[in-house]
Amino acid sequence: MADYAPPTASPAQESDAPVPTAAAMKAQEAVTPSIKPTTTVSTTEDIISDLPSSAADGLIKKPFALPLENAHPPAPKELSSSEQSKYEAALKTVSSWTTVPTTSAKNSPTAPITDDERMFLTRECLLRYLRATKWNVSEAVARLQGTLTWRREYGFEKLTPDYISIENETGKQVILGYDVQGRPCLYLIPSRQNTDKSDRQIEHLVFMLERVIDLMGPDQETLALIVNFNDTKNGQSATIGQAKQTLHILQNHYPERLGRALVIHLPIIIKGFFKLITPFIDPLTRQKLKFNEDLRQHVPPSQLMKLVGGDVEFEYDHSVYWPALNKLTELRRQQYKERWIRGGKRIGEYENYLKGGSSPSLSQQEGGTNGHAEPSEAS
């Protein structure tokens, strides 16, 4: 992780097709908004070359766009023989799925499992659900299927940058910098609330969580959440109902994703709010909540916004930040999917490999396709 940089396609992973330039990609996007998984982009610079210089400087080229060299995630823990057996049992079950329920209703109709859903079921994903259920295989498998159904029912296809854009026009959520363990930081700033209460406010958070996950480097599975209640007025923070809905989504569909939640400038009214929702927070999640601590102990000052005590001068400009963030994360998702296809489109694939780390693909480890499966268009 110390030497982690934006992933690039290695010679072994490149397709025979020529690598498109940024200008060619832009022209292609005008005709077909989605990029097919067999398209290869060589570097992050291809994505940012058409952006204003301030966007490139602010999000990608400055030091706080990557973790510090000494900011490492904890080393992945080796599984015990019992844990390995339980993982293999869960893997065998989810690998047998050919259909998934389309809604959470009883006796819901099913539809074929898609490539994107199979790609979601990585080795580390299965392990996160197993840890969250204290290694109860049947419960972990049920929750995994529940998450796939929820993602269908929630309508992830509609959570596009254009649809969410209005919610972030004031910069009430910002992804910027990495903490001392290399976790990407997601800032929530309720005082910048700019819309009326609606489902889209929760969808906004889900969208940003997905973008944070896009930006996690190899071996990094968790994020740092920074909530700054300074200058928050009555009515700007979430309602009890929204808080319960958010907790349900986080605990059931993003288990083991929260590494640290740092909450500062907590007013009395918000303290009462937290007391009300505490019973709904999982005990393990509660241990990750830190209130009114010095954020510089958790996030290097050079990667921390001045707004919350760091050294980074950052003024949110939606016209610059939003397209830059979404182009960068689109690139990360594209490269991730390219690797998954080339590794053989395997359930249980290693996330380190998918994120451009040094680990070989599952098929390479098994002596199979050596990462050269014939690409085919994903669902």
Side-chain angles (χ1 to χ4, degrees), residues 78-94:
E78 286 193 21
L79 301 183
S80 67
S81 58
S82 172
E83 290 169 343
Q84 180 66 29
S85 295
K86 290 176 180 179
Y87 166 73
E88 290 171 1
L91 176 63
K92 182 178 180 180
T93 298
V94 302

Side-chain angles (χ1 to χ4, degrees), residues 73-360:
K77 183 182 175 183
E78 286 193 21
L79 301 183
S80 67
S81 58
S82 172
E83 290 169 343
Q84 180 66 29
S85 295
K86 290 176 180 179
Y87 166 73
E88 290 171 1
L91 176 63
K92 182 178 180 180
T93 298
V94 302
S95 296
S96 70
W97 291 344
T98 57
T99 61
V100 176
T102 55
T103 74
S104 56
K106 189 176 181 180
N107 299 321
S108 166
T110 63
I113 189 169
T114 67
D115 272 5
D116 282 348
E117 289 167 338
R118 289 169 55 83
M119 184 172 64
F120 176 81
L121 297 169
T122 62
R123 175 181 181 272
E124 286 70 26
C125 175
L126 269 61
L127 290 174
R128 285 191 289 272
Y129 279 75
L130 283 164
R131 291 195 301 268
T133 57
K134 298 179 174 57
W135 297 91
N136 183 314
V137 175
S138 59
E139 186 179 346
V141 166
R143 282 182 59 177
L144 278 162
Q145 188 178 82
T147 290
L148 293 184
T149 297
W150 170 77
R151 292 172 75 92
R152 289 181 170 196
E153 200 169 18
Y154 203 66
F156 265 55
E157 70 282 351
K158 79 174 182 182
L159 304 186
T160 64
D162 286 345
Y163 172 71
I164 297 297
S165 177
I166 189 173
E167 292 292 341
N168 216 63
E169 285 182 350
T170 56
K172 64 190 178 190
Q173 294 190 31
V174 174
I175 302 169
L176 185 143
Y178 294 78
D179 77 357
V180 295
Q181 290 190 322
R183 301 183 185 101
C185 298
L186 172 60
Y187 290 76
L188 305 186
I189 311 172
S191 64
R192 296 181 181 176
Q193 182 58 263
N194 64 317
T195 59
D196 294 331
K197 297 289 187 288
S198 69
D199 289 341
R200 186 159 56 186
Q201 290 183 342
I202 307 298
E203 292 166 346
H204 178 210
L205 179 60
V206 170
F207 178 89
M208 295 298 275
L209 286 171
E210 291 289 324
R211 302 295 74 79
V212 172
I213 292 169
D214 291 337
L215 295 175
M216 290 176 183
D219 291 330
Q220 183 57 263
E221 299 184 56
T222 62
L223 65 100
L225 188 66
I226 299 174
V227 188
N228 177 20
F229 280 104
N230 195 34
D231 295 328
T232 301
K233 298 177 178 61
N234 190 24
Q236 288 184 310
S237 58
T239 65
I240 296 293
Q242 285 180 316
K244 289 171 67 176
Q245 185 181 356
T246 300
L247 285 170
H248 175 80
I249 290 172
L250 290 174
Q251 293 177 172
N252 287 280
H253 305 305
Y254 293 90
E256 300 284 304
R257 283 300 196 183
L258 182 64
R260 182 75 74 229
L262 308 168
V263 185
I264 62 171
H265 298 129
L266 200 63
I268 293 176
I269 188 170
I270 303 298
K271 285 182 180 178
F273 174 82
F274 269 100
K275 284 184 179 179
L276 286 172
I277 66 170
T278 295
F280 303 102
I281 302 176
D282 179 86
L284 292 177
T285 303
R286 278 183 234 164
Q287 294 175 14
K288 299 173 183 177
L289 292 170
K290 304 294 180 183
F291 294 97
N292 293 326
E293 294 192 0
D294 180 3
L295 298 191
R296 297 165 74 95
Q297 302 301 313
H298 300 282
V299 182
S302 63
Q303 302 233 335
L304 184 66
M305 275 196 212
K306 200 165 189 176
L307 179 71
V308 294
D311 297 339
V312 178
E313 295 276 4
F314 178 82
E315 293 294 331
Y316 186 80
D317 183 336
H318 190 66
S319 66
V320 171
Y321 181 94
W322 197 243
L325 172 70
N326 285 294
K327 280 182 177 289
L328 177 58
T329 53
E330 179 185 16
L331 170 63
R332 295 289 179 87
R333 291 194 302 278
Q334 179 185 331
Q335 293 174 325
Y336 187 100
K337 192 164 191 173
E338 283 281 355
R339 295 185 187 102
W340 183 71
I341 292 171
R342 294 183 186 281
K345 302 173 71 171
R346 308 284 291 270
I347 288 178
E349 185 59 270
Y350 283 76
E351 286 182 7
N352 181 283
Y353 157 71
L354 294 173
K355 292 178 180 180
S358 59
S359 296

